[in-house]
């Protein structure tokens, strides 16, 4: 018996070789019809024997390309039409755009074999790709995902490439970025001031030679430029830090292969799997001692960010150079990663000695993703290349089309419609004009890609955030409502949304700072919440940040404020006391006593800073979160005890720091006791205020692996259900998702 079906698939089904896959299985089962891309996804019509159609439907699910993800499938039976043969039809661009845009994926093994095969016509070609790998989001201009809608439209395929592109049996059948040395992009090497040196293979050879001589080179990759130098060369790295004004913030290091990583780092099996995944994120792992890795890569840390090559150009560079290379985002402090050649010559000349460019235009700038393994699961620090802009499925359908603009630091934006939230790539801190311009560009790029016009815009409460100011202006300009959602509640909402939670939870929302409902700076919050609202059931007692913003960068100021609160002017002899001159202490005490430029805060992130100062770990920060990161070096799982603490309606931190100042133990014991204490506080407050609810951990403080894992272990022992972030970062990179799902819209 014959049948005629129309099948509509949505999800990651464009740019993954899905149409040629459908074509080949339809031919295998001798079915007639067609397959076509549209703005919703993929439409298939098949006509043939019922048993063959059933086998075809099973194969759609079980044999689909490795990068494909089917989000939904609708099947409609139609009258027989006597369809002839099976064809791939030209894409349609009509209707609502909701197809998934695939992230940029690392080069596949088959392409790598060809890259290294002297007999292959793409031997050592830096832009080799196929339907299973290569650039996607970074080159797309509009949907559907076809070559004319990407920056590859600027390269006309040669006869050999076009033959592959049209051959259903070829791996490059309808591979939109398909190219070769004859017709595709190429690399060129310039001096930092724009003088042409050489191109193609000679440019690569020269780049390797220049790196060996200790030079810093800006290299254009998939989503932007990296600043590159030898990771074992102290002199080159010191020069890079000086030029970039980078301080002590760690650099990511790219390695030739997994075996080379193992020479420099201790990695678990799960960490190895994440490093080798097609997304190729930077993975934070424990570094080995006594290697030739420069101290300048990650000063004072026992961890290192490692990743593998993900573009053919990276593979060639690492294979030829042999040694690991620092690959850090090419940008001025707080500015977006450089993506255009002209931009590189204009902005990067002060950092670099040479610039290696290519002539494939980058449409969407995309930084590297950064993750670490917490409790044997991926925890995002930065969600970008390899993951963005794949959507997060929501536990309910949105009633309106929502634009959420995120926070001020680690910014991402999100658009939402139906049951999907599309989060942007990492945008970063909105401190400069260029960063703010990039923020706006990303928003309008998402509008264009999805033909999206929001019904409502959502921002943070903080009146000083650029994102808040922009949202206010946009809402007035477009005459749509502006909704503002409290920062720590947004953290909790993002955790609920990504975990498909529909009921209330007890959220522990801890970070460095966020604008509270009472005008104070929150950051040590315990919330009972659902999508309609929240109740702040407890928090850490307030303390003063002496000097306001200065205190965020100087742990000694937070510590001295804590110590003033406990001991008045008679502070015991501690590293924090020694960090100031007597005259400075007198001024600081008066500021603290009178509350002059000393806002109130409940931030656990700042309490980490205070502990780091009192313990002599850090008095002034080189970068955000440095004190907590260094403290991780000292955590010892064998230490089981903890400091005193008091909980009434709020958490009294004074006993914790009183105990700490009296503690004469080794520093690792004191750090461990401090982290253990915070974990015990969570369990105690939960038992008093949240029993019966799921316990959620959210906010930037929970990037601390040992704190998070300690709480999870205690929850297992107490049989407390606990949820953590797995799809978006616990830091402010996840704020936009939380804003988007607030039902008060």
């Amino acid at each position: 018996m014959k049948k005629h079906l129309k099948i509509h698939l949505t999800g990651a089904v464009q740019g993954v070789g899905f149409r040629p896959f459908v074509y080949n299985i339809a031919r295998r089962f001798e079915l007639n019809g067609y397959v076509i891309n549209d703005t919703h996804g993929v439409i298939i019509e098949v006509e043939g024997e019922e048993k063959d159609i059933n086998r075809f439907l099973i194969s759609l699910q079980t044999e689909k390309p490795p990068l494909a993800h089917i989000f939904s499938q609708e099947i409609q039976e139609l009258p027989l039409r006597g369809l002839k043969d099976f064809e791939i039809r030209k894409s349609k661009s009509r209707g609502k755009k909701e197809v998934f845009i695939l992230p940029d994926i690392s080069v596949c093994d088959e392409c790598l074999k060809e890259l290294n095969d002297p007999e292959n016509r793409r031997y050592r070609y830096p832009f080799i790709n196929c339907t299973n790998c290569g650039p996607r989001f970074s080159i797309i201009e509009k949907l559907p995902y076809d070559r004319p809608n990407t920056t590859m439209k600027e390269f006309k395929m040669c006869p050999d490439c076009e033959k592959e592109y049209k051959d259903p049996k070829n791996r490059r059948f309808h591979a939109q970025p398909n190219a070769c040395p004859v017709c595709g992009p190429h690399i060129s090497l310039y001096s930092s001031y724009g003088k042409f040196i050489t191109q193609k293979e000679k440019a690569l050879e020269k780049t390797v030679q220049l790196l060996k001589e200790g030079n810093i080179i800006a290299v254009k990759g998939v989503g932007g430029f990296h600043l590159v130098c030898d990771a074992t060369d102290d002199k080159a790295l010191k020069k890079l830090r000086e030029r970039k004004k980078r301080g002590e913030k760690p650099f990511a290091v790219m390695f030739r292969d997994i075996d080379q990583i193992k020479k420099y780092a201790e990695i678990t099996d799960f960490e190895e799997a994440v490093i080798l995944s097609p997304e190729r994120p930077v993975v934070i792992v424990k570094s080995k001692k006594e290697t030739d890795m420069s101290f300048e890569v990650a000063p004072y840390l026992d961890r290192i960010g490692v990743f593998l090559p993900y573009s053919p150009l990276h593979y060639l560079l690492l294979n030829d150079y042999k040694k690991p290379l620092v690959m850090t985002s090419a940008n001025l402090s707080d500015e977006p990663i450089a993506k255009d050649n002209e931009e590189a010559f204009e902005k990067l000349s002060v950092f670099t000695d040479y610039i290696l460019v290519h002539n494939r235009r980058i449409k969407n700038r995309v930084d590297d993703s950064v993750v670490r393994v917490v409790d044997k699961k991926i925890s995002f620090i930065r969600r970008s290349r390899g993951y963005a802009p794949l959507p997060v499925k929501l536990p309910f359908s949105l009633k309106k089309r929502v634009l959420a603009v995120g926070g001020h630091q680690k910014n991402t934006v999100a658009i939402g419609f139906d049951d999907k939230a599309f989060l942007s790539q990492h945008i970063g801190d909105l401190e400069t004009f260029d960063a703010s311009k990039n923020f706006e560009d990303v928003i309008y790029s998402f509008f264009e890609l999805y033909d999206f016009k929001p019904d409502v815009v959502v921002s943070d409460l903080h009146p000083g955030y650029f994102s808040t100011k922009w949202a206010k202006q946009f809402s007035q300009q477009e005459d749509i409502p502006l909704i503002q959602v409290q920062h720590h509640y947004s953290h909790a909402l993002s955790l609920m949304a990504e975990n498909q939670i529909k009921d209330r939870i007890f959220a522990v929302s801890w970070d460095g700072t966020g604008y509270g409902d009472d005008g104070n700076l929150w950051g040590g919050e315990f919330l009972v919440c659902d999508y309609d609202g929240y109740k702040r059931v407890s928090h850490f007692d307030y303390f003063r940040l002496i000097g306001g913003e200065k205190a965020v960068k100087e742990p000694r100021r937070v510590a001295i404020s804590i110590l003033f609160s406990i001991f008045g002017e008679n502070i015991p002899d501690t590293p924090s006391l020694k960090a100031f001159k007597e005259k400075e202490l007198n001024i600081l005490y008066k500021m603290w006593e009178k509350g002059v430029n000393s806002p109130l805060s409940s931030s656990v992130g700042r309490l980490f800073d205070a502990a780091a100062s009192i313990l002599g770990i850090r008095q002034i920060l080189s970068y955000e979160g440095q004190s907590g990161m260094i403290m991780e070096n000292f955590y010892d799982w064998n230490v089981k005890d903890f400091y005193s603490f008091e909980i009434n309606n709020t958490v009294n931190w004074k006993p914790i720091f009183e105990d700490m100042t009296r503690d004469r133990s080794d520093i690792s014991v004191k750090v461990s006791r401090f982290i253990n204490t915070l974990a015990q506080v969570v369990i105690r407050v939960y038992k008093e205020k949240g029993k019966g609810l799921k316990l959620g951990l959210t906010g930037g403080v929970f990037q601390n692996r040992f704190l998070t894992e300690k709480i999870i272990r205690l929850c297992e022992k107490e049989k407390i259900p606990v949820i953590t972030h797995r799809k978006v970062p616990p830091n402010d990179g996840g704020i936009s998702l939380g804003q988007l799902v607030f039902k008060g819209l």
Side-chain angles (χ1 to χ4, degrees):
M1 180 179 165
K2 284 197 170 185
K3 266 191 172 183
H4 176 199
L5 296 186
K6 185 174 185 178
I7 305 155
H8 180 204
L9 302 171
T10 67
V13 288
Q14 291 187 19
V16 293
F18 204 86
R19 285 178 297 171
F21 155 69
V22 170
Y23 175 92
N24 284 312
I25 61 171
R27 294 293 295 268
R28 187 204 309 167
F29 296 122
E30 299 181 346
L31 301 175
N32 297 324
Y34 68 88
V35 59
I36 189 170
N37 277 352
D38 75 351
T39 50
H40 296 274
V42 167
I43 293 172
I44 306 164
E45 282 198 39
V46 284
E47 195 171 83
E49 293 296 329
E50 184 176 12
K51 62 179 176 57
D52 294 323
I53 286 180
N54 289 340
R55 289 157 69 196
F56 171 83
L57 291 173
I58 292 168
S59 295
L60 273 182
Q61 301 292 337
T62 59
E63 299 177 33
K64 63 182 183 292
L67 301 179
H69 174 72
I70 296 173
F71 196 80
S72 67
Q73 174 179 285
E74 294 176 12
I75 299 175
Q76 179 185 4
E77 188 164 356
L78 301 174
L80 293 173
R81 281 177 51 199
L83 295 171
K84 303 295 183 187
D85 210 348
F86 195 91
E87 61 181 341
I88 296 177
R89 291 188 180 171
K90 190 175 178 182
S91 301
K92 292 180 180 178
S93 58
R94 297 189 301 271
K96 180 181 171 186
K97 294 183 179 178
E98 55 184 41
V99 70
F100 295 5
I101 298 166
L102 209 69
D104 302 286
I105 300 297
S106 64
V107 60
C108 68
D109 289 342
E110 287 176 285
C111 282
L112 279 179
K113 284 177 190 173
E114 294 174 349
L115 185 73
N116 295 311
D117 180 2
E119 302 301 315
N120 192 280
R121 72 187 188 95
R122 291 187 176 85
Y123 175 58
R124 291 183 64 82
Y125 180 54
F127 302 94
I128 190 171
N129 68 84
C130 68
T131 52
N132 297 323
C133 67
R136 297 294 194 271
F137 177 53
S138 62
I139 63 170
I140 191 167
E141 294 181 325
K142 60 183 179 179
L143 290 168
Y145 178 70
D146 285 321
R147 193 177 182 104
N149 295 335
T150 73
T151 59
M152 282 301 295
K153 67 187 174 189
E154 293 150 20
F155 301 93
K156 180 175 170 54
M157 281 186 280
C158 67
D160 286 340
C161 285
E162 196 161 5
K163 185 179 177 184
E164 294 169 333
Y165 184 84
K166 291 179 177 177
D167 180 4
K169 295 177 183 175
N170 194 288
R171 195 173 87 253
R172 294 186 172 90
F173 183 45
H174 281 250
Q176 306 308 333
N178 192 28
C180 75
V182 174
C183 63
H186 67 270
I187 58 173
S188 302
L189 182 67
Y190 291 82
S191 72
S192 59
Y193 292 99
K195 182 184 175 184
F196 175 76
I197 298 173
T198 186
Q199 63 179 355
K200 299 185 178 178
E201 182 64 26
K202 287 184 179 177
L204 198 58
E205 290 172 12
K206 185 67 174 174
T207 299
V208 170
Q209 178 193 328
L210 291 168
L211 286 168
K212 287 178 179 176
E213 293 169 2
N215 289 289
I216 298 165
I217 301 179
V219 177
K220 187 177 182 181
V222 172
F225 281 81
H226 285 113
L227 298 178
V228 181
C229 67
D230 189 329
T232 67
D233 186 337
D234 284 340
K235 190 176 176 183
L237 279 162
K238 283 176 182 174
K239 183 167 66 172
L240 178 58
R241 287 198 178 278
E242 285 168 12
R243 288 179 180 180
K244 204 181 177 191
K245 295 180 174 56
R246 176 93 173 187
E248 295 169 350
K249 193 173 183 180
F251 291 124
V253 181
M254 186 176 280
F255 293 81
R256 183 180 178 181
D257 52 35
I258 196 72
D259 290 333
Q260 190 178 58
I261 289 177
K262 289 177 180 178
K263 290 177 184 175
Y264 290 89
E266 298 172 10
I267 59 173
T268 65
D269 290 345
F270 187 77
E271 286 169 338
E272 181 173 347
V274 177
I275 293 165
L276 289 166
S277 68
E279 293 83 5
R280 291 290 195 273
V282 176
V283 184
I284 309 299
V285 296
K286 189 170 179 60
S287 53
K288 285 184 175 176
K289 296 175 182 176
E290 297 177 3
T291 68
D292 63 351
M293 185 67 65
S294 171
F295 168 82
E296 295 293 330
V297 167
Y300 308 108
L301 297 177
D302 65 358
R303 298 173 304 291
I304 185 174
V306 306
F307 62 145
L308 290 174
Y310 52 85
S311 79
L313 176 58
H314 291 134
Y315 269 98
L316 292 169
L317 196 56
L318 268 295
N319 278 332
D320 292 356
Y321 192 70
K322 311 298 184 192
K323 293 198 284 185
L325 292 169
V326 158
M327 290 251 178
T328 187
S329 300
N331 55 356
L332 292 163
S333 181
D334 296 322
E335 291 204 349
I337 184 173
K339 72 176 178 71
D340 299 319
N341 295 351
E342 299 77 14
E343 184 185 7
F345 291 122
E346 180 188 341
K347 294 183 177 179
L348 303 183
S349 60
V350 293
F351 302 141
T352 61
D353 301 303
Y354 298 89
I355 300 178
L356 184 68
V357 304
H358 59 71
N359 59 339
R360 183 177 70 202
R361 194 163 47 85
I362 296 171
K363 169 63 177 171
N364 302 299
R365 71 182 87 224
V366 196
D367 259 306
D368 295 316
S369 291
V370 182
V371 306
R372 72 183 308 184
V373 174
V374 177
D375 190 38
K376 298 181 182 176
K377 299 180 184 73
I378 287 178
S379 178
F380 282 96
I381 295 168
R382 186 164 78 193
R383 181 184 184 267
S384 205
R385 178 192 48 77
Y387 301 94
L390 283 177
V392 174
K393 184 174 170 57
L394 304 178
F396 55 84
S397 285
L398 298 167
K399 293 177 181 176
K400 297 177 181 176
R401 294 166 72 84
V402 185
L403 165 65
V405 299
H408 188 71
Q409 294 182 307
K410 303 177 181 65
N411 179 271
T412 62
V413 298
I415 63 170
F417 51 85
D418 300 334
D419 60 348
K420 293 179 282 294
F422 293 84
L423 269 70
S424 76
Q425 67 274 36
H426 169 80
I427 296 171
D429 298 354
L430 306 181
E431 295 285 354
T432 66
F433 173 80
D434 283 352
S436 303
K437 174 74 166 57
N438 183 45
F439 161 84
E440 195 168 24
D441 288 346
V442 169
I443 289 173
Y444 283 109
S445 173
F446 266 58
F447 286 0
E448 185 180 2
L449 278 173
Y450 292 98
D451 278 346
F452 183 85
K453 188 174 181 183
D455 302 314
V456 61
V457 57
V458 193
S459 79
D460 195 88
L461 277 177
H462 200 300
Y465 283 2
F466 173 81
S467 56
T468 304
K469 294 174 183 176
W470 186 92
K472 284 181 179 177
Q473 186 178 1
F474 182 78
S475 76
Q476 291 167 3
Q477 172 191 312
E478 299 295 319
D479 194 25
I480 60 174
L482 167 67
I483 304 294
Q484 295 183 287
V485 183
Q486 200 280 325
H487 189 89
H488 301 92
Y489 177 42
S490 293
H491 275 306
L493 288 172
S494 73
L495 179 66
M496 293 167 67
E498 70 157 273
N499 280 282
Q500 295 283 302
I501 302 295
K502 294 182 179 179
D503 304 318
R504 288 190 309 158
I505 69 163
F506 181 83
V508 182
S509 190
W510 289 356
D511 62 5
T513 188
Y515 192 78
D517 290 337
D518 57 4
N520 293 322
L521 300 175
W522 292 8
E525 312 311 308
F526 300 89
L527 312 174
V528 171
C529 52
D530 56 23
Y531 295 103
D532 293 305
Y534 73 97
K535 183 180 179 184
R536 188 190 193 200
V537 295
S538 188
H539 60 87
F540 275 78
D541 283 342
Y542 288 125
F543 50 90
R544 293 203 175 275
L545 298 180
I546 306 174
E549 279 297 312
K550 269 194 170 182
V552 174
K553 297 176 181 177
E554 298 184 20
R556 61 183 185 167
R557 286 176 175 261
V558 188
I560 216 75
S561 174
I562 293 286
L563 295 170
F564 283 153
S565 298
I566 299 170
F567 302 104
E569 293 184 86
N570 302 312
I571 294 175
D573 187 24
T574 60
S576 306
L577 184 70
K578 293 173 183 173
F580 294 104
K581 295 173 183 174
E582 189 174 341
K583 187 178 178 181
E584 290 176 312
L585 284 170
N586 292 334
I587 294 169
L588 292 172
Y589 183 77
K590 286 174 184 174
M591 289 176 69
W592 172 82
E593 189 177 37
K594 295 179 180 178
V596 176
N597 192 22
S598 300
L600 294 171
S601 173
S602 61
S603 165
V604 174
R606 299 288 80 83
L607 292 179
F608 262 96
D609 287 346
S613 170
I614 291 167
L615 297 177
I617 292 171
R618 204 76 197 177
Q619 302 302 334
I620 296 175
L621 299 181
S622 176
Y623 56 91
E624 188 211 357
Q626 185 181 21
S627 58
M629 289 175 70
I630 297 175
M631 286 172 76
E632 282 195 62
N633 294 353
F634 301 104
Y635 189 79
D636 182 354
W637 280 100
N638 294 314
V639 177
K640 305 296 183 185
D641 59 339
F642 49 91
Y643 294 131
S644 309
F645 60 91
E646 291 176 2
I647 297 172
N648 298 308
N649 285 327
T650 57
V651 181
N652 181 359
W653 39 258
K654 287 182 182 178
I656 301 173
F657 289 98
E658 285 175 3
D659 282 2
M660 186 183 290
T661 56
R662 288 193 295 262
D663 194 346
R664 296 293 175 263
S665 306
D666 179 83
I667 190 167
S668 66
V669 174
K670 290 188 275 193
V671 167
S672 303
R673 283 173 178 161
F674 176 71
I675 289 174
N676 289 351
T677 307
L678 294 177
Q680 291 291 337
V681 166
V682 168
I683 300 301
R684 180 85 62 84
V685 177
Y686 171 81
K687 285 181 174 179
E688 292 181 10
K689 310 278 188 179
K691 207 165 183 181
L693 301 175
K694 283 187 171 69
L695 170 63
L697 307 178
T698 186
V701 166
F702 290 108
Q703 288 176 175
N704 187 296
R705 177 191 151 200
F706 297 111
L707 174 62
T708 303
E709 290 186 342
K710 183 70 178 180
I711 294 170
I712 290 170
R713 298 290 87 80
L714 291 173
C715 285
E716 287 171 351
K717 189 177 178 183
E718 301 276 353
K719 294 186 168 48
I720 297 170
V722 62
I723 55 172
T724 56
H725 287 276
R726 294 291 174 254
K727 295 178 182 175
V728 301
N731 62 39
D732 286 7
I735 284 283
S736 59
L737 174 61
Q739 293 171 344
L740 187 127
V741 295
F742 173 49
K743 282 196 175 177
L745 304 173

